Amino acid sequence: MASEGADVERNDEKVDEQVDEETAVAGAEAARPAGGESVRVDSWIWSVRLVKTRSAGATACRGGHVRVNGERVKPAYAVRVGDEVRLRQGIRERVVVVKRVIRKRVGAPVAAECYVDNSPPPPPREAIAPAGVRDRGAGRPTKRDRREMERLRGLGSPDSP
């Protein structure tokens, strides 16, 4: 008898997952633009969760970190299905192709369906050297230590030895 109850719970969970997925897809359909099939690039990269805020997307566009089909674009540039969007975030570059144009922010699983990710894999964590790691209790770095750490990170001035 106890196993029958467990089966019913599992089936209920499956039904709940299907309902959640259908609701998410319906939400994505509702987030589509009404008339035209284009959306501002800053709004689109925010809605598919490539940046945390829309203002961060607009700042990235103004800073030249966003390219659509190879061209630097302003935040109001209209993105359409099939466009290739390149977004530079720190040392990583995201390359995505627009599959679906949406205007509103949606959940992460639905957002992932709105683009094809052609980004190169991020560098392995071992390849990134930890900069400025000091032994506990070693105290404040001296001027010489600080210059050495900056030189290792590549932040030193070009005329420094």
Side-chain angles (χ1 to χ4, degrees), residues 146-159:
R146 183 182 52 80
R147 286 184 176 160
E148 182 66 21
M149 286 187 289
E150 287 177 356
R151 187 185 64 77
L152 287 173
R153 278 189 250 161
L155 299 176
S157 62
D159 57 344

Side-chain angles (χ1 to χ4, degrees), residues 44 50 83-85 94-100 111-119:
W44 187 81
L50 293 176
D83 285 347
E84 180 188 65
V85 179
R94 301 286 305 266
V95 180
V96 296
V97 177
V98 180
K99 275 178 41 178
R100 184 185 300 164
E113 295 174 0
C114 294
Y115 61 86
V116 178
D117 196 357
N118 295 332
S119 304

Side-chain angles (χ1 to χ4, degrees), residues 11 14 16 22 51 54-55 57 73 77 84 108 115 133 145 156:
N11 289 337
K14 289 178 184 176
D16 289 343
E22 291 171 1
V51 293
R54 183 172 170 200
S55 62
V73 294
Y77 185 85
E84 180 188 65
Y115 61 86
V133 177
D145 293 339

Side-chain angles (χ1 to χ4, degrees), residues 46-63:
W46 166 73
S47 60
V48 296
R49 297 174 173 263
L50 293 176
V51 293
K52 282 190 174 187
T53 63
R54 183 172 170 200
S55 62
T59 303
C61 291
R62 278 189 236 106

Side-chain angles (χ1 to χ4, degrees), residues 122-144:
R125 298 195 114 208
E126 297 84 33
I128 302 171
V133 177
R134 295 177 51 84
D135 294 332
R136 186 175 178 95
R140 229 175 122 171
T142 63
K143 192 173 196 178
R144 180 179 180 184

